[in-house]
Amino acid sequence: MIEGTGFGHTPVYPRAEKLSWLPSIKRAVEESVALVMTSQALYGRTNPYVYRNARVLKQAGVVYVEDMLTEVAYVKLGWVLGHTQDPKEVESLMLTDIAGEISSRTLFNTYLI
Amino acid sequence: MRDKSFYRSIGLKCGLEIHQRLKGGKLFCSCRSTLSEEPSLEIIRKLRAVYGELGVVDRAAAFEHMRNRKFVYKYYPSESCLVECDEEPPHQVNKEALEAAITAALMLNAKVVDEIHVMRKTVIDGSNTSGFQRTMVIALDGYLEYKGEKIPIAQVCLEEEACGILEDWGDTVVYRLDRLGIPLVEVSTGLLEGYSPEEIQEIALLIGVTLRSTGKVRRGLGSTRQDLNVSISGGSRVEIKGVQELELISKVVENEVERQLSLIKLAKELKEAGVREEDFKPPMEVTELFSETKNRVIKRALKSGGVVFAAALPGLSGFASRELCPGLTLGKELAYHARAYGVGGIIHSDEDLAKLKLEDEFKKLRELLKAGSRDLIFIVAGPPDRAAEASRAVVERAKQLLNGPPEETRAANPDGTTRFTRPLPGAARMYPETDIPPMPIPREYVESIRASLPEHWEQKVKRFTEQLGLPRDLARQVVWSEYLSLFEEAVEKTRLPPTLIASTLVSTLKDIKRRDKIPVEQLPDEKIMEALLAVDGGKISKEALPDVLRELAKSPGETVQAIAARLGIKPITLEELREIISSTIQDNMEVVLEKRERALGLIMGRVMAKVKGRIDGKVVSEEVKRKLKEVLSTSRVEA
């Protein structure tokens, strides 16, 4: 589980390899470790398309799980891995709303108290 | 009446852009798009022009910034989310809408692109919260057959609908967010040359029918919208936006041809009269001159801190009342240019100045501006920056009169005339949407859609005639109507005769609209279906259907059952009918005995008055005949 910044980012700066998380992430994916991205932000939805670094992460195999909370995603990933180890199936299950953990729409007043 | 050869001789060229809303949810999020809800919140915003990536502020954006308008967005809880508010990036493209657009493209014989790139088209009037409209090319280079010729279809796009406008108070505009993001398919024809305005309208209709035959488009007010490009030899390309009714297209084209011809003629006249561009002087502020004015409009403008600008337009005196095309004078045309800058319009010297109580001021103005008797003088009153810009725009437009019609964007009025909105935008207003990656379109996917394309409309007419037994005219009417997919659904879901369904959809509804002036097109398909199912289930009789539909159109919130109860057209059973017939005959026994079989008409009439709309008329007639015979045979025995 990675709790990224903003839309779900980690450092991936291509020329400062020491600071980039990308080599480690690629190695993890190669070794069949499921990688799931949520956000440190309290509210909102992850998005792998707006900024380049997130596109790179998604391409490397990180699964962006919409607006799922980190804690929920952690428990869900444990449950999913108990059923399958196949990366495609893990991704598809993580992105299937099972019990209201993913909402397809974020309403304007979702975050109003 | 101008014929086809006339339009050929003046080199009429047209391009059509047909916009058609698609069924299903929004294009870039999961909101529904039913437009049926009440707003729950509003969001207030202002636009601020900023430097673009090239280091300049866009002129149009700066103009909008200067107008300093307030935008109010009404928020609908089931029909808008953070995507419409531009608080969340767009989600992936709605697959259902994409498939519908590809289906439409294939029916227009167009070639589907290998990769779809979503683009942003700058829109700065606040109707898109993001400041742009998203659009994507789906297919290119198609054609449609019309009178044995191939009409070129240049492009098929899928794009998002803008916000609907609820109110415009000049400095504040109120928009509805629920409309934003509804998927639209946009079909652009290639250049149509050598056709008359009527033919161009027919081509638009043909495209509309082809789109509807996909079964994936919406109907109702605002669900289709046409833009036209019109030019003639010696004229210019003018884009006319927002023709809401297909039936208006030929009139709009005729008017535009007329307008351009008049402008070409006017340019010639002005040149022959020796008017030159350098004779046009910039407007000057003349507020002082109006400090004692008796004109109410100007008095009000000055009171709220406004100013007056004026200028002379050389050689144009007497021309302002000239009609460029029916319903559009040159004066009105110039006023549109002022209005685009947010002032009410202009007052010019060809108007009845005595009536406007401005005679003295204009006399002084003529001296002040050193204008001759052949010059037209005009004034603009309004807030300082707007009045200055507006008067300058009028002078610029007048100057262009020397060169014939300019390229511009106009908007269609409901009466078929048009009004100036802005100069034609450049190609630079389109740039890539960076929040959505390019989407490759696999060939197998396109071929799978091609393999199950809906019927061509001509085949549908044939099938409806041969298999459903519709008269040919009715079949064609249904296929060409907005209710095609509802008709097909109703034929499938009910056991009602197809002819009844068809005539209900194409003529009963039209009658209700025409006779009772009820906006029946707003009645959703589901409600019409509900009424048809009620007839099918015997809950109301088919005779009651027009009354029920009329009431439904008035209050679509009600159920068919409630309306039937309210109208007292609860259907009656055969037993109840027989009782009514017996008692009616009883009540009129003398006449029955006297007239015998000839009393049928009278009894029938009396019974119908009681049961009309509550049971099939054919059943009533059979029962009355049967009962009458029975009564008469027994009475004969008695006699």
Side-chain angles (χ1 to χ4, degrees):
Chain A
M1 292 285 319
I2 305 171
E3 194 178 56
T5 55
F7 279 138
H9 301 148
T10 72
V12 294
Y13 194 63
R15 268 167 294 180
E17 214 164 285
K18 268 193 191 154
L19 299 176
S20 174
W21 290 32
L22 200 54
S24 310
I25 284 171
K26 282 185 172 160
R27 188 159 52 86
V29 172
E30 268 164 31
E31 292 176 18
S32 304
V33 177
L35 284 176
V36 170
M37 181 70 82
T38 58
S39 174
Q40 290 172 22
L42 280 177
Y43 301 129
R45 191 182 296 273
T46 56
N47 187 310
Y49 300 114
V50 175
Y51 295 107
R52 185 186 160 277
N53 55 350
R55 287 194 183 194
V56 171
L57 290 168
K58 182 178 161 69
Q59 212 170 13
V62 177
V63 178
Y64 280 72
V65 288
E66 301 281 332
D67 64 344
M68 221 189 298
L69 295 173
T70 308
E71 293 80 353
V72 177
Y74 180 69
V75 173
K76 185 177 177 185
L77 182 60
W79 174 76
V80 167
L81 289 174
H83 286 86
T84 178
Q85 304 277 317
D86 175 61
K88 280 262 162 289
E89 258 183 81
V90 170
E91 177 173 7
S92 139
L93 278 169
M94 284 306 287
L95 285 170
T96 307
D97 178 28
I98 308 274
E101 74 278 17
I102 297 175
S103 37
S104 62
R105 303 170 61 228
T106 320
L107 301 188
F108 185 77
N109 52 353
T110 301
Y111 309 126
L112 296 181
I113 300 166
Chain B
M1 193 61 202
R2 305 190 125 148
D3 61 2
K4 194 171 168 176
S5 64
F6 166 77
Y7 289 103
R8 229 179 254 266
S9 74
I10 57 155
L12 172 63
K13 291 178 192 166
C14 263
L16 283 169
E17 260 176 44
I18 312 269
H19 300 86
Q20 169 71 58
R21 280 190 204 152
L22 295 172
K23 283 184 185 165
K26 300 262 180 108
L27 191 50
F28 293 109
C29 65
S30 306
C31 292
R32 55 173 216 216
S33 41
T34 39
L35 304 182
S36 61
E37 224 176 12
E38 290 298 314
S40 64
L41 283 166
E42 57 182 44
I43 303 163
I44 299 174
R45 291 206 178 135
K46 287 201 165 193
L47 275 182
R48 187 183 160 76
V50 293
Y51 289 93
E53 309 215 332
L54 297 174
V56 287
V57 177
D58 177 65
R59 209 180 42 167
F63 169 59
E64 194 55 48
H65 185 175
M66 183 208 75
R67 291 174 79 180
N68 194 27
R69 291 195 295 175
K70 194 162 88 181
F71 299 112
V72 179
Y73 296 99
K74 297 273 184 192
Y75 177 89
Y76 300 73
S78 311
E79 293 161 351
S80 36
C81 69
L82 288 191
V83 175
E84 283 89 346
C85 302
D86 195 35
E87 302 279 354
E88 185 176 275
H91 301 184
Q92 297 303 291
V93 174
N94 173 350
K95 288 273 167 344
E96 194 192 344
L98 182 62
E99 192 173 316
I102 293 177
T103 306
L106 293 176
M107 295 194 74
L108 294 162
N109 307 298
K111 298 177 184 71
V112 178
V113 297
D114 293 327
E115 193 167 82
I116 288 176
H117 292 247
V118 181
M119 301 292 282
R120 297 173 170 179
K121 191 155 58 176
T122 306
V123 174
I124 39 100
D125 61 3
S127 63
N128 285 68
T129 46
S130 55
F132 50 78
Q133 179 196 29
R134 296 187 185 93
T135 176
M136 58 198 105
V137 174
I138 298 294
L140 299 163
D141 197 16
Y143 66 88
L144 259 189
E145 306 246 355
Y146 171 73
K147 293 188 176 171
E149 280 175 55
K150 280 186 178 176
I151 300 293
I153 302 293
Q155 186 171 288
V156 179
C157 288
L158 177 60
E159 53 187 40
E160 57 180 350
E161 177 73 280
C163 284
I165 196 160
L166 288 170
E167 314 257 8
D168 186 350
W169 301 312
D171 54 350
T172 304
V173 189
V174 184
Y175 285 113
R176 52 191 298 176
L177 274 180
D178 56 351
R179 227 186 71 177
L180 181 61
I182 296 179
L184 295 176
V185 60
E186 182 206 72
V187 177
S188 320
T189 66
L191 212 51
L192 307 176
E193 277 181 86
Y195 295 104
S196 69
E198 286 82 43
E199 287 174 321
I200 285 161
Q201 178 168 312
E202 276 173 26
I203 291 168
L205 274 168
L206 190 63
I207 295 173
V209 171
T210 307
L211 291 179
R212 282 201 291 278
S213 62
T214 63
K216 295 176 177 182
V217 305
R218 278 176 195 277
R219 63 156 186 86
L221 199 67
S223 63
T224 60
R225 209 166 53 233
Q226 285 72 229
D227 295 349
L228 298 166
N229 278 295
V230 181
S231 75
I232 58 174
S233 329
S236 283
R237 184 166 78 90
V238 167
E239 188 180 340
I240 299 165
K241 288 202 165 292
V243 184
Q244 291 241 354
E245 299 199 26
L246 281 165
E247 289 74 21
L248 216 55
I249 289 179
S250 62
K251 196 169 170 199
V252 170
V253 175
E254 281 164 26
N255 279 337
E256 180 55 22
V257 167
E258 212 57 51
R259 196 186 67 90
Q260 295 206 17
L261 286 172
S262 305
L263 287 171
I264 293 169
K265 185 167 158 244
L266 182 63
K268 215 173 137 207
E269 287 175 41
L270 290 176
K271 273 192 188 144
E272 278 168 9
V275 180
R276 298 162 310 161
E277 258 187 48
E278 50 271 35
D279 299 338
F280 288 83
K281 301 284 183 289
M284 53 194 279
E285 206 203 306
V286 293
T287 315
E288 198 62 14
L289 209 68
F290 290 86
S291 54
E292 304 290 321
T293 189
K294 292 196 178 65
N295 180 288
R296 273 194 318 187
V297 178
I298 297 179
K299 218 194 281 183
R300 196 166 350 124
L302 296 186
K303 219 174 181 179
S304 53
V307 296
V308 181
F309 273 82
L313 304 175
L316 280 174
S317 183
F319 282 106
S321 54
R322 178 185 283 195
E323 270 202 341
L324 300 176
C325 67
L328 179 72
T329 59
L330 178 62
K332 204 166 168 188
E333 176 80 0
L334 292 173
Y336 280 137
H337 285 255
R339 274 196 223 165
Y341 285 81
V343 298
I346 64 173
I347 300 176
H348 57 74
S349 54
D350 278 1
E351 290 179 83
D352 187 348
L353 294 173
K355 202 170 145 200
L356 294 169
K357 302 198 176 105
L358 285 170
E359 266 179 315
D360 290 348
E361 288 93 334
F362 267 71
K363 210 174 274 168
K364 285 183 202 151
L365 207 52
R366 203 169 277 278
E367 282 166 31
L368 187 71
L369 296 169
K370 298 192 183 72
S373 59
R374 286 173 53 224
D375 302 347
L376 182 79
I377 294 174
F378 77 92
I379 58 169
V380 170
D385 46 359
R386 287 188 208 172
E389 290 289 339
S391 55
R392 210 176 349 229
V394 173
V395 174
E396 283 309 309
R397 178 64 192 91
K399 213 189 271 183
Q400 285 172 333
L401 289 173
L402 296 172
N403 305 318
E407 286 197 347
E408 62 192 19
T409 304
R410 304 180 68 84
N413 297 325
D415 65 353
T417 60
T418 60
R419 59 184 189 274
F420 167 82
T421 48
R422 57 181 159 78
L424 219 50
R429 72 183 192 126
M430 193 93 101
Y431 62 104
E433 164 63 83
T434 49
D435 293 348
I436 299 170
M439 286 175 288
I441 301 298
R443 288 301 98 181
E444 313 83 73
Y445 174 58
V446 175
E447 289 315 312
S448 74
I449 296 175
R450 196 195 301 278
S452 53
L453 276 188
E455 279 167 297
H456 187 268
W457 67 268
E458 281 171 326
Q459 284 170 337
K460 268 198 210 294
V461 173
K462 195 159 174 258
R463 182 165 59 87
F464 289 175
T465 322
E466 287 170 6
Q467 290 178 22
L468 300 180
L470 293 192
R472 219 192 121 73
D473 277 356
L474 189 59
R476 194 187 146 94
Q477 274 181 332
V478 168
V479 171
W480 280 65
S481 82
E482 287 193 303
Y483 294 101
L484 172 61
S485 50
L486 181 59
F487 172 76
E488 296 196 276
E489 192 189 332
V491 167
E492 196 184 311
K493 284 194 185 159
T494 70
R495 290 154 300 164
L496 299 174
T499 314
L500 171 68
I501 301 171
S503 62
T504 301
L505 295 178
V506 301
S507 65
T508 307
L509 289 177
K510 217 180 265 174
D511 286 348
I512 293 174
K513 186 179 164 70
R514 198 181 41 225
R515 211 177 307 142
D516 305 312
K517 307 263 178 290
I518 295 168
V520 76
E521 64 276 4
Q522 283 172 23
L523 197 57
D525 283 3
E526 301 82 65
K527 295 308 279 190
I528 301 175
M529 195 64 201
E530 191 186 324
L532 291 171
L533 282 169
V535 179
D536 192 35
K539 295 200 180 66
I540 56 173
S541 70
K542 72 176 197 292
E543 282 75 15
L545 195 51
D547 289 331
V548 169
L549 287 171
R550 181 184 313 116
E551 293 305 309
L552 262 185
K554 275 195 224 160
S555 57
E558 268 187 286
T559 62
V560 169
Q561 215 173 350
I563 285 173
R566 179 156 62 77
L567 294 179
I569 47 171
K570 206 170 145 291
I572 50 170
T573 60
L574 202 54
E575 261 81 85
E576 287 169 305
L577 173 69
R578 284 179 183 154
E579 255 169 56
I580 292 171
I581 294 173
S582 299
S583 71
T584 311
I585 292 180
Q586 215 63 55
D587 291 348
N588 298 282
M589 200 45 119
E590 276 178 35
V591 191
V592 169
L593 290 178
E594 186 198 319
K595 290 195 167 175
R596 304 197 65 85
E597 276 80 9
R598 284 174 293 122
L600 179 69
L602 175 105
I603 300 299
M604 187 67 197
R606 301 250 155 118
V607 171
M608 277 311 278
K610 290 177 197 159
V611 303
K612 189 170 178 290
R614 302 165 68 188
I615 194 162
D616 191 345
K618 224 194 286 172
V619 177
V620 179
S621 143
E622 276 163 22
E623 286 297 317
V624 170
K625 264 186 223 158
R626 200 180 56 76
K627 185 73 190 172
L628 195 62
K629 211 183 228 172
E630 190 187 304
V631 169
L632 290 175
S633 64
T634 50
S635 72
R636 185 166 296 155
V637 174
E638 277 165 24

